[in-house]
Amino acid sequence: MPPERTAVRRARLRIALITAAVITLLVTAVGWVCDTVMTRAQNAQVWRELRFGAAVGDLTRPPVCTWLFADGVPQLANAPAGFPLAGDVGQVRRTGRAVERTLHRDGTVYLVRTQPRAGGLVVQAVFDMRYQLADRTHLWSALGAAEVVGLLASVGAGALLGRVSVTPLAEALARQRRFVTDASHELRTPITQAYTRVQVLSRQAAAQKLPDGHREGLDRLTGSLGRLGEVLDDLLLSASLMAGPARQSDHRPLDLAALARSVAAEESETLDGRVTLLVDVPPQPVPVNGVESALRRAVGELLSNAARHTPPGGRIEMTLGRADGTVTLTVCDTGRGFSPAEAERLFERFHRGGDDGRYGLGLALLREVVTRHGGTVTASSRPGHGARFTIRLPACGPPLTPGPPHQATAGRT
Ligand SMILES: Nc1ncnc2c1ncn2[C@@H]1O[C@H](COP(=O)(O)OP(=O)(O)OP(=O)(O)O)[C@@H](O)[C@H]1O
Ligand SMILES: [Mg+2]
């Protein structure tokens, strides 16, 4: 699936989740406020009625859900069991002061007030809150229904907002990616032709002993056109990587050992004897699943970076091995290295670490390539002690056959 469609799906999901969370929070907050206000109002009213009933109410005909207990007054047939509370009656007799309490019993809540009445009588008024509790349950059921409707609405809102606001953005991104691919592709051919022509001119200039200034100018032009070509390759690679899993169909089993040897051979030609390149790659195939052009570019990027950062007389070592289903390719050099804190930032786009005239794209693309191949790449170094880059990729096929004794191919340039 192209990344734009993935982004739209993610955005829809995110909008739906955020809306659902907001609705849930709102419903919970509204429910809590309603429940608190309702409970307080109900309790205040019941206590008022109990005080009135206990003080002056008709002991033989109490209001609904209320029972009035007092010595010498016959109990009603529907009076709840366990009342009157003898402890409270005794306490009121002793102290002469009213006592109030809330009791949770028999699946309901009772509010109980015991107080003295004129004539030395102690009255206990009991109120059964079951209808008030039922009202609160209804309130929460209604809020639950509102929550379900709200959650359905959030799914709808996610889909609608995703379509209205995110889809045009995704289309713009897709158009931008297509533009980058088309423009890079169209520019690639004329730049390659210009590069070839300027190389020929440069050689002719050397042969015809043109003035130094002309030759240097042509050399610089060759270098600039070469780099421009590399940038276009990077842009094309980046755009094709962004096309996502559709391109995964391009993955094929390939021999990383052969690939590494061939890239090293190409790179050693450009080293021009300045630096020693040691290649330690097993003679037997090291199969991985991947896109050959992309992996070739990734390995080449490590070698060309190492070559650029290693001073004359230095050494670059490339090793390849396979263990526990993982293929590991390492490139170390004896260059200036970088600080450990910088290691992770090297893989950010346009991070150039002070290298003028470069674009800072190589390692970022390398990481994209390796990640798309299900692998990892790490960098480590100490300033002044060289750099080490390690690519790990999942191996494919059977483990290496023990074959002939392992031999390092040391290419010295
Ligand atoms: N072997 C190395 N030794 C020391 N520093 C390195 C090494 N490889 C990369 N770096 C640092 O990492 C930075 C980023 O590297 P990257 O390959 O992404 O960009 P670049 O080589 O500067 O430009 P580009 O690859 O786009 O032409 C480099 O500018 C450099 O500072
Ligand atoms: Mg680079």
Side-chain angles (χ1 to χ4, degrees):
M1 185 184 299
E4 296 81 18
R5 279 182 59 192
T6 316
V8 172
R9 281 184 57 180
R10 281 213 195 112
R12 280 184 189 167
L13 191 67
R14 212 172 294 145
I15 292 171
L17 284 178
I18 292 172
T19 318
V22 169
I23 288 174
T24 308
L25 270 177
L26 278 178
V27 169
T28 312
V30 168
W32 181 78
V33 171
C34 290
D35 187 85
T36 309
V37 170
M38 195 170 173
T39 306
R40 286 199 181 162
Q42 286 175 339
N43 285 357
Q45 187 189 345
V46 170
W47 282 121
R48 253 194 325 272
E49 284 176 13
L50 279 185
R51 275 178 216 125
F52 177 81
V56 294
D58 182 347
L59 296 177
T60 54
R61 294 175 58 200
V64 184
C65 292
T66 309
W67 292 269
L68 297 171
F69 300 95
D71 279 348
V73 177
Q75 287 187 14
L76 295 179
N78 65 351
F83 292 101
L85 303 173
D88 286 2
V89 173
Q91 186 180 341
V92 171
R93 279 216 173 91
R94 277 195 310 279
T95 61
R97 284 215 303 273
V99 174
E100 287 183 351
R101 74 173 65 248
T102 303
L103 277 183
H104 294 258
R105 190 185 261 191
D106 307 330
T108 182
V109 175
Y110 294 102
L111 301 191
V112 186
R113 179 177 170 91
T114 315
Q115 71 170 69
R117 212 188 236 205
L121 203 59
V122 172
V123 178
Q124 188 164 81
V126 177
F127 189 92
D128 184 348
M129 296 284 287
R130 73 181 62 230
Y131 292 121
Q132 283 74 6
L133 293 179
D135 284 347
R136 288 179 215 166
T137 309
H138 290 151
L139 171 76
W140 281 110
S141 311
L143 288 170
E147 168 80 20
V148 171
V149 173
L151 290 180
L152 290 177
S154 71
V155 173
L160 191 71
L161 286 177
R163 191 168 311 138
V164 173
S165 60
V166 188
T167 308
L169 194 66
E171 281 167 4
L173 281 175
R175 270 201 297 278
Q176 186 210 36
R177 185 160 55 84
R178 272 201 302 276
F179 172 77
V180 170
T181 318
D182 294 350
S184 311
H185 198 260
E186 291 307 305
L187 284 171
R188 192 72 190 89
T189 314
I191 283 178
T192 310
Q193 285 168 353
Y195 180 60
T196 318
R197 270 185 214 138
V198 83
Q199 270 184 319
V200 172
L201 280 177
S202 186
R203 275 198 290 273
Q204 286 173 352
Q208 290 170 13
K209 308 241 180 309
L210 285 186
D212 283 354
H214 288 196
R215 281 216 316 273
E216 278 165 20
L218 279 172
D219 285 347
R220 276 205 295 278
L221 191 57
T222 312
S224 305
L225 282 173
R227 275 209 293 282
L228 202 52
E230 284 173 20
V231 171
L232 287 179
D233 285 345
D234 285 348
L235 288 174
L236 278 168
L237 177 61
S238 176
S240 75
L241 285 171
M242 278 179 69
R247 306 282 300 197
Q248 298 272 329
S249 56
D250 297 347
H251 285 212
R252 313 220 178 298
L254 58 94
D255 177 11
L256 196 62
L259 185 147
R261 270 194 295 269
S262 128
V263 177
E266 279 168 22
E267 190 60 40
S268 70
E269 278 172 27
T270 65
L271 287 176
D272 218 13
R274 265 186 333 108
V275 173
T276 307
L277 173 60
L278 296 168
V279 182
D280 184 2
V281 172
Q284 55 276 74
V286 178
V288 296
N289 229 336
V291 182
E292 178 161 358
S293 56
L295 288 177
R296 181 170 277 279
R297 198 132 176 70
V299 177
E301 179 62 29
L302 289 188
L303 287 180
S304 69
N305 276 355
R308 236 187 13 264
H309 292 98
T310 307
R315 203 178 64 246
I316 301 172
E317 262 179 62
M318 180 172 77
T319 48
L320 180 71
R322 169 177 169 158
D324 301 332
T326 302
V327 172
T328 307
L329 182 135
T330 311
V331 174
C332 314
D333 60 57
T334 54
R336 64 175 162 85
F338 43 85
S339 68
E342 213 188 348
E344 199 44 38
R345 295 186 51 219
L346 301 185
F347 295 98
E348 289 170 9
R349 272 168 193 254
F350 305 113
H351 178 85
R352 292 183 313 195
D355 285 10
D356 289 336
R358 310 297 309 181
Y359 299 93
L361 276 173
L363 289 179
L365 282 173
L366 181 146
R367 176 167 271 185
E368 269 184 54
V369 167
V370 173
T371 310
R372 297 262 166 179
H373 282 76
T376 57
V377 54
T378 51
S380 61
S381 168
R382 272 186 305 138
H385 288 82
R388 168 188 289 263
F389 288 85
T390 308
I391 294 178
R392 289 190 182 81
L393 292 170
C396 88
L400 296 181
T401 45
H406 180 96
Q407 286 198 352
T409 320
R412 191 186 170 86
T413 332

